[in-house]
């Protein structure tokens, strides 16, 4: 009841609070401050070994470096990206050996497909995996290296609902690739890159302390989901949305009404999952078993695109008010720093 009451107050405050001012500690977390502002629809964020973050801007096609003191520097531009609808320059990851090899990985919408490329600052992107179906909506787009050193990527159904159940299609899947872009050894369907299927538009990726993969997923009209991902698992779309109880499909560990979530990026820290929500304009923090959910920042900063754990133990949150669906205020979009 207390969290619900706080959430109601936060909705009222949302468009009037000055987000550049550090907030006093409140239930569930400590102070919130602005690391960087005036970004253009930031989408993905990955930390480098030196503690700086690389951030993609979906529509400008820029990759910028952001330091803890708020210095923003453009390090690359992916001119091949074609921003349109939900497409453009999307996810970003750094090589597990970034300190020595310098590789940066990006997922973006090109003229004919969605694709994954790698690049080094100052050099052109080198596509390593192409042919992912694209559309104005449901492009997926998150990429992350797992504890096994393999590259995982989320793909949306690109408006073709049935493709999510077709294991020969790249749409509506979570893929597992080598750093060179080939299907990873040990994948559940032989030489296929598919790791799991039956997804509508999966987004954030993260691993818990035991190495278990979790992913957030946009529902259609009823339920958004947090899923525990199993190799070869079928997550039901378009036959199921939310908990189905159908033995053919794996049920989510947590669901939300679509008005309350639209879960985008996630961070998994130990055995807690942080979920950034667009339409719901809030952060959720909950256990990996779906228990103990807290609602944070509700309505205070508008749409939230991504959340990531910084090297200093804080959480960095990307707002997404300049993505064509938000209500931008002075200083948007911004990176927030939240102390757990």
């Amino acid at each position: 009841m207390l969290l619900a009451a706080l959430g109601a107050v936060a909705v009222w405050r949302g468009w009037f609070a000055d987000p550049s001012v550090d907030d006093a500690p409140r239930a569930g977390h400590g102070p919130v401050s602005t690391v960087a502002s005036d970004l253009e629809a930031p989408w993905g964020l990955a930390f480098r070994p030196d503690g700086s973050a690389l951030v993609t801007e979906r529509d400008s096609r820029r990759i910028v470096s952001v330091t803890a003191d708020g210095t923003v520097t453009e390090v690359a531009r992916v001119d091949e990206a074609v921003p349109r609808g939900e497409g453009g320059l999307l996810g970003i990851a750094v090589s597990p050996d970034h300190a020595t090899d310098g590789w940066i990985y990006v997922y973006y919408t090109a003229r004919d497909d969605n694709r994954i490329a790698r690049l080094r600052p100052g050099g052109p992107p080198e596509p390593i995996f192409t042919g992912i179906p694209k559309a104005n909506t449901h492009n997926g787009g998150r990429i992350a290296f797992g504890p096994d050193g393999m590259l995982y990527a989320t793909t949306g159904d690109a408006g073709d609902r049935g493709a999510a159940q077709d294991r020969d299609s790249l749409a509506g899947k979570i893929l597992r690739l080598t750093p060179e872009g080939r299907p990873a050894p040990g994948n559940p369907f032989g030489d296929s890159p598919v790791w799991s299927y039956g997804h509508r538009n999966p987004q954030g990726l993260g691993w818990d302390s035991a190495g278990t993969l979790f992913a957030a997923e946009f529902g259609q009209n009823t339920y958004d989901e947090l899923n525990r991902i199993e190799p070869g698992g079928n997550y039901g779309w378009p036959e199921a949305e939310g908990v189905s109880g159908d033995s053919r499909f794996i049920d989510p560990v947590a669901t939300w009404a679509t008005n309350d979530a639209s879960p985008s990026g996630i961070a998994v820290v130990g055995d807690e999952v942080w979920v950034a929500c667009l339409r719901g304009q809030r952060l959720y923090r909950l256990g990996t078993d779906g228990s103990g959910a807290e609602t944070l920042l509700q309505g205070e900063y508008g749409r939230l695109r991504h959340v990531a754990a910084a090297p200093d133990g804080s959480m960095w949150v990307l707002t997404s008010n300049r993505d064509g669906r938000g209500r931008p205020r002075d200083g948007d979009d911004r990176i927030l720093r939240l102390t757990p």
Side-chain angles (χ1 to χ4, degrees):
M1 292 299 291
L2 176 59
L3 283 173
L6 288 171
V9 173
V11 169
W12 182 86
R13 289 184 59 225
W15 300 113
F16 301 97
D18 179 1
S20 68
V21 178
D22 289 6
D23 289 340
R26 62 176 66 84
H29 63 81
V32 179
S33 58
T34 297
V35 176
S37 57
D38 297 306
L39 300 175
E40 186 176 343
W43 208 96
L45 183 155
F47 284 98
R48 291 193 280 189
D50 66 3
S52 65
L54 294 172
V55 178
T56 56
E57 292 183 327
R58 187 190 69 186
D59 299 336
S60 74
R61 302 177 290 185
R62 295 196 311 163
I63 301 172
V64 298
S65 171
V66 182
T67 60
D69 66 2
T71 302
V72 178
T73 307
E74 180 177 326
V75 297
R77 188 180 295 264
V78 182
D79 291 329
E80 189 181 17
V82 180
R84 184 177 180 184
E86 295 176 0
L89 180 57
L90 304 177
I92 188 165
V94 299
S95 164
D97 299 317
H98 182 78
T100 55
D101 65 27
W103 284 120
I104 301 167
Y105 290 74
V106 288
Y107 183 118
Y108 60 93
T109 310
R111 185 183 65 180
D112 299 317
D113 61 2
N114 285 303
R115 52 183 52 194
I116 300 169
R118 64 182 183 181
L119 70 151
R120 296 185 177 100
E126 301 176 6
I128 63 168
F129 193 86
T130 62
I132 301 169
K134 60 169 278 189
N136 281 346
T137 60
H138 301 185
N139 289 295
R142 294 287 168 195
I143 55 175
F145 279 94
D148 57 2
M150 297 296 113
L151 181 65
Y152 292 74
T154 69
T155 73
D157 67 11
D160 181 358
R161 295 158 57 101
Q165 288 293 319
D166 179 0
R167 295 207 307 257
D168 292 328
S169 169
L170 295 175
K173 308 295 188 295
I174 294 176
L175 309 178
R176 179 173 176 263
L177 307 168
T178 68
E180 295 73 35
R182 294 187 292 271
N187 280 359
F189 306 114
D191 61 356
S192 168
V194 172
W195 188 246
S196 63
Y197 66 108
H199 298 288
R200 181 174 181 266
N201 193 23
Q203 290 286 300
L205 295 170
W207 287 262
D208 70 7
S209 57
T212 301
L213 174 61
F214 290 81
E217 182 159 344
F218 291 117
Q220 184 175 33
N221 298 315
T222 310
Y223 292 115
D224 293 323
E225 302 175 355
L226 176 68
N227 287 300
R228 181 184 294 109
I229 303 300
E230 301 177 11
N234 183 347
Y235 289 82
W237 180 255
E239 303 300 322
E241 181 181 356
V243 176
S244 71
D246 188 320
S247 61
R248 296 175 298 168
F249 310 132
I250 299 175
D251 285 337
V253 297
T255 62
W256 300 273
T258 53
N259 283 341
D260 296 335
S262 293
S264 188
I266 71 171
V268 185
V269 181
D271 296 309
E272 285 190 332
V273 185
W274 296 70
V275 184
C277 298
L278 292 164
R279 190 174 181 183
Q281 299 185 14
R282 67 195 74 182
L283 274 178
Y284 286 115
R285 179 170 63 184
L286 66 158
T288 52
D289 61 356
S291 67
E294 294 181 87
T295 301
L296 310 173
L297 305 185
Q298 185 173 344
E300 296 183 47
Y301 299 95
R303 292 161 60 82
L304 306 182
R305 175 67 68 178
H306 190 40
V307 56
D312 66 0
S314 66
M315 307 301 292
W316 284 25
V317 182
L318 304 182
T319 72
S320 191
N321 296 314
R322 295 177 63 184
D323 64 356
R325 295 179 178 176
R327 295 172 56 185
R329 293 166 286 175
D330 289 345
D332 278 338
D333 273 314
R334 63 191 76 237
I335 301 174
L336 307 172
R337 181 181 183 274
L338 179 154
T339 304

